[in-house]
Amino acid sequence: MKIAIYPGSFDPITKGHLDILKTGAEIFDKVIIAVARNSEKKGFLPVDERVKLIKESVKDLDNVEVDSFEGLTIEYAKKREAKVLIRGLRAVSDFEYELQLSQANSSLSSEIKTVFLTTKPKYNFISSSTIKEIYLNNGDISKFVPEPVYEYLKNRNVS
Ligand code: ADP
């Protein structure tokens, strides 16, 4: 069984993330989308809320599991018996950081490989930080996030 991990902050999950996840779920037998509990990074939404929103957004995808983890991604991947990490690429600007990260991970653990996926062009520019910016300035984010995220943010005053 080919298991892949899609790690990230997902703060919040966007339609770009979801598109990557769907492609991953077509390629691999199982994809675990895993929210990193990074204590140094002050989040917009609490990790448990992010996990809940992802679960609601992926409920139609049978071979996707939602989880969170602390510490090194490769250690988490080993624990979950996954040999592949999925990361998304939007533009050249992502490339340098993502390449560095994948090389650091493969030097820590050579049997874990990173694969890069891209989204449909219409989702390519979407990032969690752009969405936060639009939301905090009272703009319409409905086109950029899955329905559960839209409803959650609409009904709550998050800042
Ligand atoms: P991180 O904090 O680990 O970068 P993110 O939640 O911002 O976590 O992103 C997780 C992964 O998804 C990253 O590899 C990022 O490049 C990718 N990603 C995010 N948005 C998009 C998008 N619109 N198109 C393609 N990849 C994306």
Side-chain angles (χ1 to χ4, degrees):
M1 177 138 149
K2 287 223 180 309
I3 306 172
I5 308 276
Y6 181 25
S9 310
F10 307 108
D11 192 21
I13 185 165
T14 70
K15 286 190 176 172
H17 292 131
L18 213 51
D19 197 43
I20 296 274
L21 186 65
K22 283 181 185 161
T23 306
E26 285 169 15
I27 300 172
F28 299 100
D29 298 316
K30 178 175 171 176
V31 179
I32 303 168
I33 176 167
V35 181
R37 293 182 179 272
N38 184 342
S39 52
E40 291 201 0
K41 224 173 171 178
K42 194 192 168 294
F44 171 57
L45 302 179
V47 171
D48 293 338
E49 295 295 317
R50 292 183 225 165
V51 169
K52 217 169 83 190
L53 291 171
I54 299 172
K55 280 189 179 155
E56 289 170 23
S57 306
V58 306
K59 63 178 188 312
D60 296 336
L61 299 172
D62 294 338
N63 59 339
V64 169
E65 185 189 319
V66 187
D67 197 8
S68 63
F69 69 101
E70 254 180 290
L72 292 176
T73 309
I74 51 146
E75 294 305 329
Y76 175 71
K78 281 183 199 160
K79 199 175 93 191
R80 300 305 313 264
E81 296 176 331
K83 294 216 163 53
V84 175
L85 302 178
I86 295 173
R87 295 288 290 176
L89 285 180
R90 281 162 292 200
V92 181
S93 48
D94 280 340
F95 181 76
E96 209 165 284
Y97 170 72
E98 292 292 344
L99 181 69
Q100 230 174 42
L101 193 64
S102 72
Q103 288 172 342
N105 280 332
S106 72
S107 76
L108 289 170
S109 175
S110 59
E111 82 254 27
I112 293 175
K113 313 288 181 199
T114 302
V115 301
F116 295 108
L117 298 175
T118 55
T119 57
K120 293 189 186 77
K122 65 175 174 178
Y123 299 135
N124 196 56
F125 69 94
I126 303 175
S127 70
S128 299
S129 49
T130 310
I131 283 161
K132 276 177 252 177
E133 205 56 41
I134 298 171
Y135 169 77
L136 293 173
N137 289 291
N138 303 312
D140 179 14
I141 57 164
S142 59
K143 283 203 292 257
F144 312 131
V145 293
E147 184 73 23
V149 175
Y150 178 68
E151 291 299 324
Y152 174 89
L153 290 174
K154 197 172 74 179
N155 297 325
R156 256 171 238 218
N157 251 338
V158 189
S159 59

